[in-house]
Amino acid sequence: MKPVVALLGRPNVGKSTLFNRIVRSRQALVDDLPGVTRDRHYGDALWEDREFTIIDTGGFLSEDDDYFASQIKEQLTAAVDQADFLVFIMDGRAGLSPYDRDLADLLRKTEKPVFYLINKIESHRQEDELGEFYALGIDRFYQVSAEHGIGVGEFLDDLVRDFPEPGEIEEDETAPIRVAIVGRPNVGKSSLANRLFGEKRVVVNEKAGTTRDAIELSVVHKNQEFVLVDTAGIRRKGKVREKLEKFSILKSLKSLDDCDVALILIDCEEGITDQDITIAGYAEKRGCGAVFILNKWDLVDKEEKSEKEFLKDLRYMSKFLSYAPALTVSALTGQRCHKILGLAAKVYGEYCHRINTGTLNRIIEDAVYREEPSLHKGRRLKFFYATQVAAKPPCFVCFVNYPNAVHFSYQRYLKNQLRQMIPLSLTPIRLYFREKTGKIDFSGKTKETERIRKKKSRITSKRQKLRKEQSRKKRQRDKNQAG
């Protein structure tokens, strides 16, 4: 296992900024507003050929000071228990805080190595004003600026000194299935993530907008590893005004770009809304696999609306995602939640599917034979051959003589034939049309054979014209003799 490093400190001391600096990406949301981070956020880092996992945590406060303080403290305690090394970050601009003292007392009780950082130090004048921090009884402080990278390298050199050598860590080469949990605010995304993870891993609250960042959770189900991404709720654009919420939504949409399968959560108690369908459209546009998760099914009055009626409404409103399976669950009680990852794995299997070129061409040939495409400007539309060019999702290219003449209804017909014959009933399909490149067509005629056929056709045409001309001259002679 790779070493695990946890970043700790009160709100707004720069933990997420340092996290982004170490992992060398903007994974964690950063804002001047205190308390942006509420959950544990994991990232992989590399320094001096030493790999390690780093955890960004929420800001440490007493339970009376913040609406989410008690749950954030639970997440922080879990991070401390999981970590091998602890990094306590303080704010050099704001000075020593009572919360710093409380957290320092808490960390003294652990036997794990603790590194003490004073952040936001960007000048020599600030270095001269740090005497108050020595009241904590700590000998060594690292003076850094996470925003500008000052002093971070020296701290990381000392941090990785006791890490295992690069060759001592074994990595699993099997890529996990990435599953993004998306939906409107307060539909139960974090509750479902905790249920699938098996413990309270992310903060859950009835208040909408509790989750602000995309939180990744690693889960193993039936010997298959999954990475669950709990995302922030996506509201209608017209209702989003705060800068922080805009960034949260952008992170949620980025999670759809990076995932293999999207779990689209719908609140059954509220019913299917236009925003639910809009979010489903985001998943369809990005080409990821999709599963509709109808949450809070335990709160629905079954006599008023049955599961069959609910699914009928869903299919009517989301015709563009007709291939996406749907499952009624309750994240609160765990009803049918054990089926979700198995269903996601099944969707992923089709999402990665590849088909033999010969089989693909026979399917297209049979489809064209049963239902010929309409004429294009009086000319026949010919399909020469097809091939699969990519997976995730399966992408096919058909080479034809008039690519722009393939009607959208005929494209839908070909897609349906592919779904039935391969079969690919649970995944999106991309079908493209290109102009032919001289390869063999379905009738088996080569380019040379086609050239000979055209030459014979021209000769036949000339002979027919000659016969017509001879017949015309004979009629003219007969007419002159009669006169």
Side-chain angles (χ1 to χ4, degrees):
M1 296 292 293
K2 290 184 287 187
V4 179
V5 179
L7 304 181
L8 313 170
R10 60 186 175 84
N12 212 30
V13 296
K15 297 184 296 298
S16 295
T17 303
L18 182 62
F19 175 90
N20 288 342
R21 169 74 61 180
I22 294 174
V23 301
R24 301 178 185 179
S25 71
R26 297 182 179 180
Q27 289 187 25
L29 283 180
V30 175
D31 196 87
D32 292 335
L33 179 70
V36 171
T37 304
R38 289 171 177 166
D39 302 287
R40 282 175 281 161
H41 197 98
Y42 289 70
D44 293 324
L46 177 70
W47 185 262
E48 297 293 338
D49 295 328
R50 303 291 204 280
E51 295 184 5
F52 59 98
T53 299
I54 189 165
I55 310 175
D56 181 23
T57 64
F60 174 81
L61 288 173
S62 66
E63 295 186 5
D64 299 330
D65 293 319
D66 186 79
Y67 189 74
F68 298 98
S70 60
Q71 297 182 66
I72 291 174
K73 192 171 182 179
E74 289 179 10
Q75 296 292 324
L76 187 146
T77 303
V80 171
D81 292 339
Q82 186 179 2
D84 302 305
F85 298 85
L86 307 175
V87 180
F88 179 19
I89 305 172
M90 293 165 279
D91 189 339
R93 292 179 189 167
L96 189 63
S97 163
Y99 300 118
D100 294 330
R101 298 179 185 274
D102 293 341
L103 185 55
D105 292 338
L106 182 66
L107 295 181
R108 285 192 183 97
K109 299 176 183 178
T110 179
E111 297 178 356
K112 297 178 180 180
V114 182
F115 293 80
Y116 297 88
L117 271 65
I118 303 178
N119 191 27
K120 306 181 184 180
I121 303 299
E122 295 153 9
S123 67
H124 294 295
R125 181 181 61 81
Q126 289 177 288
E127 294 177 5
D128 297 335
E129 299 173 354
L130 301 179
E132 59 180 323
F133 288 96
Y134 288 95
L136 295 175
I138 298 163
D139 297 331
R140 174 73 187 276
F141 290 102
Y142 293 88
Q143 301 170 18
V144 303
S145 171
E147 185 174 0
H148 300 95
I150 301 172
V152 176
E154 180 185 355
F155 153 66
L156 290 176
D157 287 339
D158 291 347
L159 175 67
V160 303
R161 188 167 293 157
D162 296 329
F163 284 5
E165 293 295 328
E168 297 178 12
I169 301 174
E170 296 182 1
E171 292 292 341
D172 185 5
E173 296 180 358
T174 305
I177 301 174
R178 295 187 62 84
V179 179
I181 305 174
V182 297
R184 295 182 293 112
N186 211 29
V187 295
K189 297 183 296 298
S190 295
S191 297
L192 181 63
N194 286 338
R195 174 67 63 178
L196 296 177
F197 187 68
E199 64 177 72
K200 291 183 179 180
R201 170 62 182 76
V202 291
V203 173
V204 176
N205 200 285
E206 293 179 358
K207 183 179 179 181
T210 300
T211 302
R212 288 172 168 172
D213 213 339
I215 307 302
E216 296 188 1
L217 316 175
S218 181
V219 179
V220 177
H221 176 75
K222 294 184 178 179
N223 297 323
Q224 172 64 58
E225 184 181 0
F226 294 82
V227 174
L228 304 177
V229 186
D230 180 26
T231 65
I234 304 175
R235 292 201 298 167
R236 281 186 7 222
K237 291 182 179 179
K239 292 187 175 182
V240 180
R241 293 182 175 84
E242 293 184 7
K243 180 182 69 172
L244 183 60
E245 186 176 2
K246 290 180 181 179
F247 285 137
S248 297
I249 292 175
L250 287 174
K251 291 276 287 184
S252 299
L253 297 177
K254 180 67 167 58
S255 298
L256 282 175
D257 288 325
D258 297 337
C259 79
D260 300 311
V261 180
L263 301 183
I264 305 168
L265 253 68
I266 296 176
D267 187 339
C268 293
E269 189 179 20
E270 293 185 13
I272 305 167
T273 67
D274 291 339
Q275 182 61 11
D276 292 325
I277 304 305
T278 300
I279 295 170
Y282 292 149
E284 192 275 338
K285 185 177 180 181
R286 284 159 173 78
C288 57
V291 179
F292 285 110
I293 302 297
L294 309 178
N295 192 27
K296 305 183 184 180
W297 188 246
D298 56 317
L299 302 179
V300 176
D301 186 354
K302 311 303 187 296
E303 295 181 358
E304 185 176 320
K305 195 163 190 177
S306 66
E307 181 178 350
K308 185 176 180 180
E309 292 174 334
F310 204 98
L311 292 176
K312 184 179 178 181
D313 292 344
L314 175 65
R315 294 305 180 193
Y316 178 77
M317 297 177 68
S318 60
K319 293 179 180 178
F320 54 89
L321 274 180
S322 59
Y323 54 84
L327 186 65
T328 54
V329 305
S330 171
L332 183 64
T333 65
Q335 181 184 15
R336 281 188 286 277
C337 288
H338 63 281
K339 296 182 178 181
I340 294 176
L341 293 181
L343 187 56
K346 192 174 180 181
V347 171
Y348 179 75
E350 292 193 9
Y351 185 66
C352 302
H353 185 80
R354 285 189 175 274
I355 184 173
N356 178 272
T357 301
T359 305
L360 173 64
N361 279 278
R362 284 192 292 273
I363 293 172
I364 298 294
E365 180 183 6
D366 291 342
V368 173
Y369 178 77
R370 285 195 303 271
E371 188 72 38
E372 290 189 356
S374 56
L375 298 176
H376 173 63
K377 297 181 180 180
R379 296 185 177 183
R380 187 179 175 185
L381 186 63
K382 295 182 180 180
F383 283 72
F384 296 97
Y385 74 104
T387 184
Q388 183 174 357
V389 295
K392 293 187 176 184
C395 297
F396 306 97
V397 174
C398 292
F399 289 88
V400 299
N401 52 350
Y402 302 112
N404 297 327
V406 185
H407 195 267
F408 73 87
S409 61
Y410 199 76
Q411 295 181 29
R412 184 170 62 240
Y413 162 72
L414 292 177
K415 281 187 178 182
N416 290 336
Q417 292 299 307
L418 289 170
R419 290 190 184 282
Q420 293 174 15
M421 301 303 295
I422 294 177
L424 292 174
S425 58
L426 302 176
T427 179
I429 290 177
R430 297 289 185 259
L431 187 59
Y432 304 98
F433 299 89
R434 299 287 184 268
E435 196 168 356
K436 68 171 184 176
T437 58
K439 296 287 180 86
I440 299 174
D441 67 6
F442 289 134
S443 62
K445 295 183 178 71
T446 62
K447 189 173 182 181
E448 180 64 19
T449 305
E450 184 69 12
R451 186 186 65 79
I452 294 172
R453 188 193 65 79
K454 289 182 179 179
K455 185 177 180 180
K456 287 181 178 180
S457 178
R458 287 195 298 270
I459 294 172
T460 303
S461 180
K462 288 180 180 179
R463 286 174 179 173
Q464 290 175 348
K465 287 180 181 179
L466 182 60
R467 291 193 189 100
K468 287 181 180 180
E469 183 65 22
Q470 289 174 347
S471 298
R472 187 188 65 77
K473 289 181 179 180
K474 184 179 179 182
R475 287 195 300 270
Q476 186 66 33
R477 283 196 306 268
D478 292 344
K479 184 178 180 181
N480 291 338
Q481 288 175 1

